[in-house]
């Protein structure tokens, strides 16, 4: 199970890198620099939060397999990184657009959700094909 989580994380990494590349293109090629910088800030913080969650999930899985105690999944650290990104965006509005930073935070979770939905449909189609 842990291997499939790691594979899923690597697949999501590719999508997030593509989104960051789109933000870089928008930053260099359009006059909406602060919007794309806000998106990029949100994407990077969302990606960091996802990475942190994956590390804590791996540690929790290993602790449960070894019958050890496990404390927390890093919620405070993830909330703190979002708070820090919000402070940066609100203190430097000429560089970062606050609302696009929030959208960037949500893109990481949207990638996870959409990939889960598409992969579920793919597995269901594959299972029905095998049965029929």
């Amino acid at each position: 199970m842990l291997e499939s989580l790691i594979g899923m994380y690597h697949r999501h990494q590719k999508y997030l890198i593509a989104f960051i590349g789109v933000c870089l293109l928008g930053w260099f090629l359009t006059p909406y620099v602060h919007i794309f910088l806000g998106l990029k800030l949100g994407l990077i913080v969302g990606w960091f939060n996802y990475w942190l969650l994956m590390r804590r999930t791996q540690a929790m899985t290993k602790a449960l397999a070894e019958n050890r105690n496990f404390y927390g999944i890093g919620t405070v650290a993830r909330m703190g990184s979002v708070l820090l990104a919000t402070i940066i965006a609100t203190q430097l509005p000429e560089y970062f657009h606050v609302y696009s930073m929030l959208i960037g935070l949500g893109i990481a979770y949207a990638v996870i959700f959409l990939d889960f939905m598409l992969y579920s449909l793919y597995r269901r189609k594959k299972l029905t094909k095998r049965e029929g």
Side-chain angles (χ1 to χ4, degrees), residues 41 45 79-93 96 98 101-102 105:
L41 176 65
V45 171
M79 296 276 185
S81 66
V82 171
L83 181 64
L84 180 64
T86 305
I87 290 171
I88 290 170
T90 55
Q91 293 299 313
L92 300 169
F96 300 102
V98 176
M101 187 270 305
L102 292 173
L105 281 170

Side-chain angles (χ1 to χ4, degrees), residues 36-98:
F36 285 103
L37 278 176
L39 272 172
K40 191 168 71 165
L41 176 65
L43 274 167
I44 289 171
V45 171
W47 188 3
F48 170 74
N49 286 344
Y50 184 36
W51 172 78
L52 189 61
L53 186 63
M54 282 302 300
R55 283 194 52 208
R56 299 300 294 168
T57 303
Q58 288 173 340
M60 181 179 66
T61 305
K62 187 183 266 187
L64 290 174
E66 297 171 356
N67 279 338
R68 288 186 292 123
N69 289 338
F70 184 78
Y71 304 102
I73 57 171
T75 303
V76 174
R78 289 182 287 131
M79 296 276 185
S81 66
V82 171
L83 181 64
L84 180 64
T86 305
I87 290 171
I88 290 170
T90 55
Q91 293 299 313
L92 300 169
E94 63 273 4
Y95 296 109
F96 300 102
H97 191 256
V98 176

Side-chain angles (χ1 to χ4, degrees), residues 24-40:
L24 284 173
L25 285 174
W27 181 35
F28 288 126
L29 301 176
T30 67
Y32 306 109
V33 172
H34 67 289
I35 290 175
F36 285 103
L37 278 176
L39 272 172
K40 191 168 71 165

Side-chain angles (χ1 to χ4, degrees), residues 9-28 33 35-47 50 100-101 103-115 118:
Y9 173 73
H10 289 301
R11 190 171 60 240
H12 295 163
Q13 264 186 327
K14 293 174 189 173
Y15 300 141
L16 292 173
I17 288 171
F19 275 116
I20 290 174
V22 168
C23 288
L24 284 173
L25 285 174
W27 181 35
F28 288 126
V33 172
I35 290 175
F36 285 103
L37 278 176
L39 272 172
K40 191 168 71 165
L41 176 65
L43 274 167
I44 289 171
V45 171
W47 188 3
Y50 184 36
S100 63
M101 187 270 305
I103 291 169
L105 281 170
I107 286 175
Y109 296 100
V111 163
I112 296 167
F113 178 73
L114 290 173
D115 181 69
L118 291 174

